[in-house]
Amino acid sequence: MTIKGKSKTYPDGSKWLQKNGQLLEIVNFLGGGRFDVKFENSPVFKSGAKEIKNGVVKNKNLPAVCGRGCIGYGNFGTMINGGNTPEYEVWKGMVRRCYDENSPNYSIYGGRGVTVCEEWHNFQNFARWYTGLPNYNKGFHLDKDLLDKSNITYSLEKCTLVPQSINSLFTGGFKSIVHMNARKNKWVVQMQMGEKCLNGNKRQSYFGEYHDRDQAIEVYFENKIKHVISVANKEKENLDERVYLNLTNPVWIREYIEELTLSHKDNGEEE
């Protein structure tokens, strides 16, 4: 029932318990069974009488992804054409690999102390940063440590977007830089250089076998560094200038790979 711009059933200022355990306050009756409402920690937003009565009004500031990430209130939606928006897909993947122990990549992210900054726990904040980048709509990959190789927190100060060709230079982990061929008692040097076999699988390029492990490691770095610099030069226009400078610096590249290798050992993985 309504009287002159007021709702008798849902008067302004009244509070209604929702199934999420929070009280929803009626701010203003809009007519036609629509209301301005708000939770204690939310801005004012619109809802219908049926949803209020059934207790199903959602608080978008409550964690909805892995108990950490919330959708938030703002201009950025999560769905488009029946699927996730690119920014939501990237954000959800970031949160999952840091906080979801069932995520396939948790062991090399959250399991190693990688976190998401508090500001980016809110999807709206991440999406505003992500869609503001000049290359956000090119399908590039979110990266957290090519600006700062020691960084373990996803944040706007430390993150950038890079092409898949750059991201794949360091994916797959570095449990060991070279490996032993027990039958020959030699250290084998091989790595992925972006080439593929006829069946489409990634091809390992071979750089020889060596009795001396230190010699094998030097051969590895000599060829890996050349490859990284070559790819960085090809992708220069798609890279943050600071990332480009790092990826064309032989000392930085070597230290970065050595830190990745060490992180595997620190995580209890055998060489």
Side-chain angles (χ1 to χ4, degrees):
M1 179 181 292
T2 63
I3 53 171
K4 207 169 183 179
K6 299 288 183 180
S7 169
K8 186 174 182 180
T9 305
Y10 304 100
D12 294 356
S14 63
K15 296 183 179 181
W16 299 80
L17 183 65
Q18 301 299 294
K19 290 181 179 179
N20 58 22
Q22 296 204 320
L23 289 173
L24 182 74
E25 181 180 345
I26 307 299
V27 175
N28 182 45
F29 176 59
L30 300 173
R34 301 290 293 172
F35 297 83
D36 279 335
V37 299
K38 71 182 183 72
F39 289 103
E40 184 178 3
N41 68 339
S42 81
V44 174
F45 61 98
K46 293 175 175 54
S47 185
K50 183 178 179 180
E51 289 77 18
I52 297 169
K53 178 181 178 180
N54 293 335
V56 295
V57 180
K58 294 181 179 180
N59 185 345
K60 294 182 179 180
N61 280 340
L62 290 181
V65 179
C66 305
R68 298 295 186 109
C70 69
I71 303 304
Y73 294 87
N75 296 325
F76 298 99
T78 62
M79 303 288 291
I80 185 171
N81 298 326
N84 291 335
T85 61
E87 53 268 30
Y88 180 67
E89 193 69 25
V90 172
W91 176 79
K92 184 176 69 171
M94 172 185 68
V95 174
R96 284 198 62 214
R97 58 182 173 265
C98 289
Y99 301 111
D100 181 359
E101 295 184 7
N102 294 317
S103 169
N105 294 320
Y106 177 81
S107 63
I108 57 175
Y109 286 91
R112 292 183 182 162
V114 178
T115 61
V116 177
C117 72
E118 193 68 29
E119 183 180 3
W120 279 5
H121 283 196
N122 186 312
F123 166 64
Q124 299 297 317
N125 295 331
F126 173 83
R128 189 177 304 111
W129 170 84
Y130 181 83
T131 59
L133 297 175
N135 53 6
Y136 91 95
N137 60 349
K138 295 183 179 180
F140 286 0
H141 294 202
L142 179 67
D143 182 87
K144 72 179 187 323
D145 48 20
L146 289 181
L147 286 172
D148 178 355
K149 61 180 179 291
S150 62
N151 179 54
I152 59 171
T153 302
Y154 283 97
S155 69
L156 64 88
E157 295 85 5
K158 299 292 186 178
C159 286
T160 185
L161 298 181
V162 297
Q164 190 273 339
S165 61
I166 293 294
N167 195 49
S168 63
L169 289 170
F170 307 106
T171 55
F174 289 86
K175 295 180 182 179
S176 63
I177 292 174
V178 296
H179 69 273
M180 167 61 71
N181 182 326
R183 184 175 62 84
K184 295 183 179 180
N185 194 32
K186 288 184 177 181
W187 293 95
V188 179
V189 180
Q190 59 185 30
M191 68 192 76
Q192 292 180 2
M193 304 284 282
E195 300 173 336
K196 291 186 177 181
C197 302
L198 292 177
N199 62 7
N201 292 336
K202 293 179 179 179
R203 177 183 176 186
Q204 292 281 341
S205 296
Y206 175 77
F207 294 95
E209 300 175 357
Y210 305 86
H211 287 293
D212 183 74
R213 183 174 184 271
D214 290 339
Q215 181 185 7
I217 289 175
E218 291 308 313
V219 171
Y220 172 88
F221 275 118
E222 177 184 355
N223 288 280
K224 182 67 174 181
I225 288 170
K226 286 180 181 178
H227 179 56
V228 171
I229 292 174
S230 174
V231 175
N233 282 324
K234 291 178 182 177
E235 296 286 4
K236 182 177 181 180
E237 66 179 25
N238 292 319
L239 297 175
D240 183 298
E241 182 179 1
R242 296 165 295 173
V243 172
Y244 173 75
L245 291 175
N246 286 339
L247 293 180
T248 53
N249 181 339
V251 174
W252 190 96
I253 297 168
R254 180 166 185 147
E255 289 177 350
Y256 181 57
I257 293 174
E258 288 175 339
E259 287 189 14
L260 290 176
T261 308
L262 183 61
S263 71
H264 274 283
K265 295 177 181 178
D266 289 344
N267 201 44
E269 297 183 26
E270 296 297 330
E271 187 176 319

